Amino acid sequence: MNEHTGTDVIAAAAEVPPSRFPAGSPRTRSRSRYRLVMALARIGLVVVFVVGWQVGVNTKVIDKFFWGSPSEVWQTLHDWIFVGTSQGSLGRQILVTMEEAVLGFVIGVTLGVVLGIALGRIRVLADLLSPFIKVANSIPRIVLGALFTVAFGFGMQSKVILAVVLVFFGVFFNAFQGTREVDRNLLSNAQLLGASPWRVTREVVLPSAFTWILASLHVSFGFALIGAIVGELLGANEGLGLLIRSSQNNFDMNGVIAGMVLIALIALVAEWLITLLERRLLRWRPPSAVDAARL
Amino acid sequence: MAKAIELVNVTKEFATPDGGTHTAIRDLSLTVESGEFCAVVGPTGCGKSTTLTLVSGLERPTTGEARTFGEPVRGINTSTGFVFQQDAVFPWKTVLDNVAAGPLFRGAGRADATGQARDWLRRVGLAGFENRYPHQLSGGMRKRVALAQTLINEPKILLMDEPFSALDVQTRAIMSTELLTLWDQTKPAVVFVTHDLEEAIALADKVVVITAGPGTVKAEFRVDLPRPRVVQEIRFDPAFVSLYEQIWEALRAEVAEAYARTTSLAGVSA
């Protein structure tokens, strides 16, 4: 902390702002206790919900034909894991869906960021393309799924494309807005320091817009997953969406709910990974701002 | 030898949101010699900052011409260094990377650029803070980073837009003295825009008073106080006091005019 040496730092040293609280201070201890209490309270909520559901089923208040029951959902999950599903091993289904979602996510984010920044930086391009983008954005995109399934078949391709379309717009609009909101002083400063337009884009616009882009990534992975699942519901050879679809066709609501549980788990893991990425990329921001940004 | 900066009868108009034009400066002429420290003072909204954007090439004059070293300014003028009023250091770069940015942008190698950056950080008294991010520094320290970031390119012209106005009074005096020390090392021509007359006289060789907007030069005063100066103490010098009185005489009417205008405008809109 106090590593600064040299001859003329007297004034500088007097201005060092207070550092964050050291580990083990009363403040950190009370905060970690708060976290523990929170975690326990959350588990409590889940337990109340699941137990309430089961009691409701047992007392016939809830019709398990329509709503399933926790014990049978658990049984279905157990069978899927240890016996396999009607369409092959569970791991295979998860892998297929994940592959579609991740591919769609990566392609959609890349396209969204590149086009968003390009249009944000190049005025003519924005003026030319903005009506088309508005029209494209107004189409309910799930409907496109029907089109893609017919055009690209029951394989992985149609799901990936649907996921791309779902992810693209959110990321695009955020990247575009982020590019437009870059501090004018920072742009002027970089230019005067000698940066070429490309370097201004790479070293000023991109990091500055990243705050906006990262905010959209949380929602976007959810969209990618929706794209993959909906694609599979509309017609597929394998994947979690198909598993849900075939359970539905057999009036097996436990299967539908078990599928939902798996999807939720995947989404949670992805959310956690994105938060890690965000922490890493936004290291430069004051800690309070980063904490406030995550929910 | 050509003058470092020449503004020849420049007028700058901006389009206002309601479709009209706002004249920031009108028919303004100003020259600054190589190695001269020129302070520009004037009331709020008189277009002081606009003169800087014309010299740096961030804006083009509507009529008239801006020249640096005899050459008309076209596009971004990278022979100038610009210190902004608000923070313009890159918040996502560490202190070291911020200062190294200039040489890197201008094609220097990584090792060379960081070497120079370390040297400049030492000169502004920030050795040991290389790996901090700007948000971890105080306002005064961020200003030092901005100074090092600009001066590392060794600009022949240094433009400063109320650079210390966000700092507290003590830090400001310290920074002003340090600015003079740094300026003395490379001796660029300086245009230092401020609304603080005391600061202007303490720093400059020449003080230019701008009229209430649209701004034009009202008067120029030569400041022949001996250098090196210590900003914190020079204000007690009798020569300083008499200069202050003279320049204030010229500035007072403009400040009153600008103030009357803003208050009557406020009266109309209310």
Side-chain angles (χ1 to χ4, degrees):
Chain A
M1 180 76 214
N2 290 318
E3 69 217 35
H4 52 266
T5 50
T7 49
D8 42 3
V9 290
I10 307 101
E15 297 168 32
V16 180
S19 66
R20 271 178 278 162
F21 300 96
S25 74
R27 180 75 176 265
T28 23
R29 231 180 297 142
S30 83
R31 203 159 45 178
S32 69
R33 218 178 66 199
Y34 175 79
R35 279 214 196 119
L36 184 71
V37 171
M38 251 316 144
L40 289 175
R42 283 168 183 162
I43 293 169
L45 274 177
V46 173
V47 169
V48 166
F49 176 75
V50 172
V51 168
W53 183 6
Q54 186 65 55
V55 168
V57 169
N58 291 351
T59 56
K60 303 259 160 39
V61 178
I62 297 169
D63 188 340
K64 74 173 177 180
F65 178 78
F66 292 119
W67 303 105
S69 86
S71 59
E72 284 170 36
V73 169
W74 178 252
Q75 189 56 45
T76 307
L77 278 173
H78 189 272
D79 287 350
W80 281 355
I81 294 167
F82 294 104
V83 185
T85 69
S86 53
Q87 52 199 65
S89 79
L90 180 66
R92 172 77 194 154
Q93 312 311 314
I94 293 177
L95 205 70
V96 167
T97 304
M98 280 294 285
E99 208 175 324
E100 291 159 356
V102 169
L103 247 140
F105 178 72
V106 170
I107 298 172
V109 168
T110 311
L111 281 177
V113 169
V114 169
L115 278 173
I117 290 180
L119 264 67
R121 287 281 281 160
I122 307 165
R123 186 65 188 265
V124 192
L125 215 56
D127 288 344
L128 177 69
L129 296 179
S130 71
F132 300 106
I133 286 168
K134 278 181 193 143
V135 168
N137 188 36
S138 66
I139 299 169
R141 286 179 285 281
I142 297 297
V143 178
L144 291 173
L147 201 73
F148 294 152
T149 310
V150 176
F152 299 105
F154 277 24
M156 197 174 267
Q157 213 180 359
S158 58
K159 287 88 197 168
V160 173
I161 293 171
L162 186 58
V164 167
V165 171
L166 280 170
V167 167
F168 170 78
F169 285 96
V171 177
F172 169 82
F173 284 115
N174 270 275
F176 181 74
Q177 195 60 27
T179 305
R180 284 291 172 90
E181 305 265 319
V182 178
D183 189 334
R184 297 216 59 83
N185 276 336
L186 292 182
L187 289 176
S188 304
N189 193 23
Q191 285 177 309
L192 284 164
L193 288 173
S196 61
W198 168 242
R199 287 203 94 153
V200 171
T201 303
R202 216 182 62 196
E203 300 200 21
V204 181
V205 176
L206 191 64
S208 172
F210 243 104
T211 320
W212 288 73
I213 294 167
L214 282 169
S216 73
L217 293 192
H218 290 281
V219 191
S220 296
F221 192 80
F223 278 144
L225 213 50
I226 292 172
I229 301 281
V230 168
E232 288 168 355
L233 284 171
L234 290 170
N237 301 321
E238 47 189 351
L240 284 175
L242 181 65
L243 201 56
I244 290 173
R245 178 70 183 272
S246 37
S247 301
Q248 187 201 8
N249 288 347
N250 296 330
F251 297 103
D252 173 13
M253 290 309 128
N254 294 313
V256 174
I257 292 165
M260 281 162 52
V261 170
L262 289 174
I263 293 167
L265 286 177
I266 293 172
L268 272 178
V269 171
E271 169 70 25
W272 176 68
L273 288 174
I274 290 170
T275 306
L276 282 188
L277 175 79
E278 185 173 56
R279 286 259 175 90
R280 175 76 183 72
L281 286 172
L282 296 185
R283 242 174 344 162
W284 53 271
R285 285 207 306 188
S288 58
V290 177
D291 285 345
R294 56 182 287 271
L295 186 69
Chain B
M1 192 181 151
K3 311 267 192 250
I5 302 169
E6 289 168 280
L7 291 174
V8 188
N9 299 325
V10 288
T11 298
K12 179 67 190 175
E13 290 167 350
F14 292 99
T16 55
D18 56 16
T21 52
H22 166 72
T23 311
I25 52 180
R26 179 178 294 156
D27 223 11
L28 182 145
S29 295
L30 175 70
T31 54
V32 182
E33 308 278 347
S34 290
E36 188 178 34
F37 198 123
C38 170
V40 174
V41 293
T44 316
C46 73
K48 300 185 293 280
S49 305
T50 307
T51 58
L52 298 186
T53 61
L54 296 181
V55 177
S56 63
L58 290 170
E59 303 273 1
R60 295 172 63 106
T62 311
T63 62
E65 192 172 51
R67 288 197 285 261
T68 56
F69 300 102
E71 296 287 320
V73 176
R74 289 198 189 85
I76 295 293
N77 186 352
T78 47
S79 67
T80 62
F82 204 117
V83 181
F84 293 83
Q85 183 175 9
Q86 286 96 17
D87 273 339
V89 295
F90 307 116
W92 46 83
K93 286 184 188 284
T94 61
V95 167
L96 185 68
D97 287 342
N98 257 295
V99 179
L104 285 173
F105 288 158
R106 288 165 188 235
R110 181 91 222 168
D112 179 28
T114 44
Q116 286 185 52
R118 280 180 201 285
D119 180 43
W120 274 98
L121 281 172
R122 193 185 45 72
R123 289 199 219 180
V124 298
L126 284 178
F129 291 89
E130 285 85 355
N131 296 320
R132 300 290 187 91
Y133 284 98
H135 80 262
Q136 298 169 310
L137 305 179
S138 68
M141 290 160 81
R142 278 201 295 274
K143 217 73 227 186
R144 288 163 204 271
V145 176
L147 270 177
Q149 186 184 49
T150 305
L151 291 172
I152 195 172
N153 283 331
E154 305 204 354
K156 293 204 179 65
I157 294 171
L158 180 60
L159 306 170
M160 307 185 83
D161 187 3
E162 304 194 30
F164 305 143
S165 61
L167 304 178
D168 63 83
V169 178
Q170 285 89 5
T171 312
R172 192 169 174 170
I174 294 167
M175 288 296 296
S176 301
T177 307
E178 288 186 8
L179 170 65
L180 286 181
T181 317
L182 292 168
W183 170 68
D184 208 38
Q185 293 174 15
T186 51
K187 276 280 172 139
V190 180
V191 182
F192 188 102
V193 163
T194 177
H195 54 251
D196 181 347
L197 184 52
E198 219 170 78
E199 183 178 50
I201 302 171
L203 292 170
D205 298 318
K206 177 165 86 178
V207 175
V208 175
V209 177
I210 306 281
T211 60
T216 190
V217 175
K218 177 169 185 175
E220 287 189 17
F221 297 86
R222 192 134 287 285
V223 181
D224 282 324
L225 300 171
R227 294 187 187 274
R229 301 179 190 163
V230 177
V231 174
Q232 294 94 314
E233 287 153 24
I234 197 167
R235 71 188 75 164
F236 308 118
D237 191 310
F240 180 97
V241 176
S242 91
L243 256 171
Y244 188 96
E245 282 168 358
Q246 279 177 50
I247 304 175
W248 175 243
E249 198 55 47
L251 187 58
R252 182 168 54 192
E254 302 308 324
V255 173
E257 162 83 23
Y259 182 74
R261 228 180 276 168
T262 53
T263 44
S264 70
L265 274 178
V268 169
S269 63

